[in-house]
Amino acid sequence: MKSAGKAIRKIVILSCLTMSLMMVCGWGIFAQEREAPDANKTLKVDVIFLLDNSGSMIANDPQFITREVVTKFLMNLKEGFRVGMVTFDQEATLIEALSCIDTVADGERFMKSLDRIDYKGQFTNTPSGVERAIYELKSNGREDAEKIIVLLTDGIVDTGNKEQDIAGEEWLRDQLAMDCKQAGIRVFGVAFTEMADFRLIQTLALKTEGEYFRTFNSADIPAVFEKIDRIISTPRAEEAPREPVEKAEPIQVKPIYIQPSAPSLLPTETVNKISNPLPLLLSGLIIIVIVVVVLIYLNKRREITGRQAVREQAEALLPQEPPKGQAELIDTENVVTETDLSIPIQNKVVKIGRDESNDIVIPKDSISSLHATIEYRNGCYYLEDHRSTNGTRLNDFKVKENTSMRLKSGDKIEFAIYEFRFLMPEMAPYGETVMIQQSDTEPDLKS
């Protein structure tokens, strides 16, 4: 019995591996057929290094490794790149305007400016630093260049006034993030140590289509900067033109026709031919398969029942209503409102559609009256499409109608052609974001 079960499991595993290999090969062929970017075209990138110069940095970076990684970045600067530098403590200071590093004198001047990073500031005014970096990119950035802010900080917003801190965080999270998005500026945030406001940096990076990282010691900073260098040095793929969508009409219930039952598996002629052994062999094979399946089912039933009981007990302990502030949608295209990118998910079931009765109203003709819902249950959030005309996509895969898809932080959701991001600020999304917790040369103990 056990050997039969093992044999079937091996066949299933081999089948799955074969299918996976076919999918990988197919995807590779598809990727090769896609139009590659012009290798002869020089990538233009304007980068502002936004560096925390507050006094707390001296304890976390006593060897001034930040200077070293910026210097290494300059030494390997690629053609078409321009760099600038802003530091911030109680106030923001532009110590190097955007410029090319074409000569030895340019490099020496920039490296001399790095000596002004002394970690002697009293406070951490991050919003002021971001605003100054945005202003420099808007004023001196090239129109046809990628615009990047690389932010590194080890603390939270601290101006010495609690009310000003709260107002500064809101300004950074909402207005400055929107300014970056409208200007095409991506923010790559590095939260240095556990004291850094990782949630704020995560939100800022997601809203500007950048990336965010977390490090716990100065030795990890070089690896993070190398990853950032690789990302911004790779041309961004242009979006393929979207297929035209038709105007959504009110949902109409269509009758469902039940097809007549299929005829008998074996033709009458075959049944009548008693001398033909094929029906007997086929019947025997079917019986053997049924017996094996039943034995496997009985063998696993007790284990499944136990797991189900544990799961039901765990689900009973979970809150029935979504915790406030746990989840939100990021309106990346400002189709809901023009003033705020963040839409909180506060109800157990959030209705999304064109009709005014929905919780989130998307006033576009391609959106159905009731397009989709996001439901909170058993401690998780689920996305469901309600037979919308132009469909719902999750991470570029179409969501089948009336089928619940579990969401995770950082997921991309498209209602028709309008893109949103699902964000749980307390959680980092799995798969897309690099979380640096140790140097790249050390083993990953969590794997």
Side-chain angles (χ1 to χ4, degrees):
M1 185 186 305
K2 291 184 178 180
S3 60
K6 290 182 178 179
I8 290 180
R9 282 196 292 272
K10 288 181 180 179
I11 294 173
V12 172
I13 292 173
L14 289 174
S15 301
C16 292
L17 289 174
T18 302
M19 293 177 65
S20 301
L21 182 60
M22 293 173 64
M23 292 174 64
V24 170
C25 293
W27 176 254
I29 295 172
F30 171 75
Q32 290 177 359
E33 292 178 349
R34 297 180 63 184
E35 183 178 355
D38 187 357
N40 297 323
K41 185 177 180 180
T42 300
L43 178 65
K44 296 182 180 180
V45 182
D46 291 341
V47 182
I48 292 291
F49 287 103
L50 182 56
L51 307 176
D52 189 345
N53 198 35
S54 61
S56 59
M57 287 288 291
I58 190 65
N60 297 312
D61 185 18
Q63 304 299 323
F64 289 89
I65 292 180
T66 300
R67 293 181 186 171
E68 296 180 9
V69 294
V70 174
T71 301
K72 183 178 179 181
F73 186 93
L74 294 175
M75 293 174 63
N76 298 316
L77 197 64
K78 301 171 181 64
E79 182 182 359
F81 275 60
R82 297 197 308 164
V83 292
M85 185 162 49
V86 173
T87 62
F88 64 95
D89 37 53
Q90 55 267 27
E91 60 184 16
T93 305
L94 176 68
I95 62 176
E96 275 294 332
L98 270 174
S99 62
C100 297
I101 310 297
D102 294 329
T103 66
V104 175
D106 294 334
E108 291 178 349
R109 185 193 72 249
F110 205 103
M111 292 181 185
K112 186 176 180 180
S113 297
L114 285 172
D115 293 337
R116 297 174 62 179
I117 301 176
D118 53 13
Y119 299 151
K120 292 184 178 180
Q122 293 182 339
F123 299 108
T124 307
N125 193 347
T126 311
S128 178
V130 173
E131 190 275 337
R132 187 64 184 87
I134 293 173
Y135 181 80
E136 176 64 14
L137 285 169
K138 284 185 175 181
S139 302
N140 298 321
R142 295 167 291 182
E143 293 184 359
D144 57 345
E146 288 277 347
K147 298 175 179 62
I148 305 293
I149 295 176
V150 179
L151 166 64
L152 186 143
T153 180
D154 75 333
I156 60 177
V157 176
D158 180 15
T159 62
N161 184 309
K162 190 64 177 177
E163 293 182 357
Q164 291 183 6
D165 295 345
I166 296 175
E169 289 180 3
E170 293 179 354
W171 181 39
L172 177 59
R173 184 174 54 250
D174 298 328
Q175 186 60 48
L176 293 180
M178 184 176 297
D179 288 347
C180 284
K181 182 172 180 58
Q182 291 175 348
I185 299 172
R186 292 190 291 164
V187 177
F188 288 74
V190 182
F192 185 30
T193 77
E194 295 181 353
M195 296 300 295
D197 193 341
F198 182 65
R199 174 175 177 176
L200 184 62
I201 293 176
Q202 179 189 36
T203 303
L204 182 62
L206 283 176
K207 287 184 177 181
T208 61
E209 300 183 8
E211 296 285 348
Y212 54 94
F213 305 85
R214 170 177 280 175
T215 67
F216 294 98
N217 57 71
S218 58
D220 291 334
I221 296 179
V224 171
F225 270 69
E226 288 177 4
K227 292 180 185 294
I228 293 175
D229 187 21
R230 287 198 298 269
I231 293 173
I232 66 178
S233 298
T234 303
R236 300 179 70 184
E238 297 184 359
E239 292 188 0
R242 300 178 183 270
E243 297 181 0
V245 295
E246 57 188 60
K247 185 175 180 179
E249 299 295 337
I251 297 175
Q252 298 180 355
V253 179
K254 298 180 180 179
I256 299 175
Y257 299 97
I258 301 176
Q259 298 291 337
S261 58
S264 175
L265 181 63
L266 296 177
T268 305
E269 300 90 308
T270 306
V271 174
N272 292 333
K273 293 181 180 179
I274 307 298
S275 59
N276 190 351
L278 181 59
L280 293 177
L281 293 175
L282 184 59
S283 300
L285 180 60
I286 293 174
I287 293 174
I288 291 174
V289 172
I290 293 174
V291 170
V292 172
V293 171
V294 170
L295 291 176
I296 294 175
Y297 170 76
L298 294 176
N299 188 41
K300 295 295 182 180
R301 183 175 180 180
R302 181 179 301 177
E303 181 180 352
I304 294 174
T305 303
R307 290 177 180 175
Q308 183 177 1
V310 173
R311 182 167 57 251
E312 291 175 353
Q313 293 175 1
E315 292 176 353
L317 299 176
L318 294 172
Q320 299 303 309
E321 296 293 333
K324 292 184 178 180
Q326 186 185 55
E328 59 186 14
L329 280 181
I330 305 300
D331 183 4
T332 61
E333 301 182 16
N334 291 111
V335 294
V336 177
T337 66
E338 297 180 357
T339 58
D340 194 357
L341 295 172
S342 301
I343 305 173
I345 305 297
Q346 298 178 336
N347 299 333
K348 186 174 182 180
V349 178
V350 175
K351 298 179 180 179
I352 303 165
R354 188 179 72 248
D355 193 273
E356 293 291 336
S357 63
N358 292 295
D359 300 296
I360 298 177
V361 179
I362 304 178
K364 301 295 182 180
D365 290 340
S366 58
I367 300 297
S368 297
S369 298
L370 174 58
H371 199 100
T373 58
I374 294 178
E375 181 180 2
Y376 176 87
R377 64 176 184 268
N378 301 330
C380 300
Y381 292 86
Y382 294 86
L383 173 68
E384 183 174 343
D385 180 86
H386 288 267
R387 301 178 66 186
S388 63
T389 300
N390 293 308
T392 303
R393 301 179 73 85
L394 177 61
N395 295 326
D396 297 328
F397 290 93
K398 185 175 181 180
V399 178
K400 295 182 180 180
E401 58 187 28
N402 300 323
T403 301
S404 296
M405 302 292 291
R406 183 174 175 178
L407 296 172
K408 65 178 182 297
S409 186
D411 279 345
K412 181 174 74 172
I413 304 174
E414 292 177 281
F415 304 110
I417 61 174
Y418 301 103
E419 179 180 329
F420 292 75
R421 285 276 183 172
F422 177 77
L423 177 63
M424 300 177 68
E426 295 295 339
M427 299 177 63
Y430 173 81
E432 294 183 355
T433 303
V434 179
M435 301 292 292
I436 302 298
Q437 298 184 355
Q438 57 194 14
S439 64
D440 287 355
T441 57
E442 295 176 350
D444 187 354
L445 300 180
K446 293 185 179 181
S447 298

